[in-house]
Amino acid sequence: MNKFNLVVFIQVLFFSCFSQASLISYGEFTTSLGDWHDASANGSVFAEDGVAKMAAGTGTSPYSSVLVLGDNGNFVFSDAVLIDSVNTLLNFDLWFFETEKDNAETGSSSFSDSISLAVYDSVDTGFDILMQNINVTALQTTFTLDLSALAGRYVAFSFELADENDGYNAVFALDNVFLSSATSVPEPASLLLFAALLIPALRRKHIV
């Protein structure tokens, strides 16, 4: 192999490896929460049966169970995640796991426990994104959030379970969290694509 062919081979190998590595999996939760942080208030987050489970706790709280990647819950962003220009789709599997009676709640609320995803920008709160009203069912479903508006920025991903005064504690399951390009999204049958919506900076709150 001459010098020119060797250089070409190395370049091809490099870009091939980069292409594969770009589909970074941030959450398979096979044995633990990995680099994710539990920033829950009265609830909890734990890895079980290869998935992350977010459980509401005794009483009520808008941030009962919180699972964060890229921050520790205090908005210091010491391990923020870069959204590059290629892999701008955030994919994750989310489903309702179970519910338990909570005797500390009166059941006066007409709202049920719900889960949302917040994407917090490490520098400018004007870039924060909130994914609310996620139609979570007992069927494991892949959701995709378009983060192309955040390309080149460092962020934190925060799954937040709001515990309402409905008399029950919900448990949600989360798995397969990863960034991908538009050409490598999951199968359409299990895909719900959400456009990114900017949220007011005033919504950001410390969650621990």
Side-chain angles (χ1 to χ4, degrees):
M1 180 181 293
N2 59 39
K3 182 176 181 181
F4 174 78
N5 289 337
L6 178 61
V7 171
V8 172
F9 173 78
I10 293 175
Q11 288 177 333
V12 170
L13 179 62
F14 171 79
F15 285 111
S16 175
C17 293
F18 178 81
S19 177
Q20 293 298 319
S22 64
L23 297 178
I24 301 173
S25 177
Y26 289 113
E28 291 182 340
F29 311 110
T30 304
T31 58
S32 69
L33 295 179
D35 294 329
W36 293 76
H37 300 279
D38 180 357
S40 303
N42 64 327
S44 61
V45 182
F46 53 94
E48 184 179 70
D49 300 327
V51 303
K53 293 181 179 177
M54 302 180 63
T58 303
T60 64
S61 171
Y63 302 103
S64 179
S65 176
V66 177
L67 182 61
V68 187
L69 178 71
D71 187 55
N72 64 358
N74 288 316
F75 300 112
V76 294
F77 300 101
S78 58
D79 53 354
V81 178
L82 172 65
I83 307 298
D84 63 43
S85 60
V86 176
N87 300 294
T88 58
L89 296 181
L90 176 64
N91 310 275
F92 58 92
D93 291 352
L94 184 65
W95 65 101
F96 175 78
F97 185 73
E98 65 181 3
T99 186
E100 301 173 347
K101 180 69 176 176
D102 186 350
N103 294 323
E105 299 178 9
T106 64
S108 61
S109 176
S110 59
F111 296 98
S112 300
D113 296 354
S114 62
I115 193 167
S116 61
L117 167 64
V119 182
Y120 296 116
D121 188 86
S122 63
V123 177
D124 188 345
T125 59
F127 284 93
D128 288 355
I129 290 174
L130 178 63
M131 183 179 182
Q132 287 182 311
N133 302 318
I134 306 176
N135 186 25
V136 183
T137 68
L139 177 66
Q140 182 174 350
T141 304
T142 299
F143 297 87
T144 297
L145 180 62
D146 183 359
L147 299 179
S148 55
L150 300 181
R153 307 193 67 83
Y154 285 87
V155 303
F157 305 125
S158 180
F159 289 90
E160 302 170 356
L161 194 166
D163 189 359
E164 303 289 348
N165 189 18
D166 59 350
Y168 296 91
N169 287 333
V171 180
F172 294 90
L174 175 70
D175 199 14
N176 302 320
V177 185
F178 65 97
L179 287 168
S180 70
S181 67
T183 59
S184 57
V185 295
E187 292 298 324
S190 62
L191 174 65
L192 294 178
L193 183 62
F194 287 78
L197 298 177
L198 298 182
I199 58 176
L202 291 178
R203 190 202 169 277
R204 180 182 287 196
K205 300 177 181 178
H206 287 280
I207 49 183
V208 292

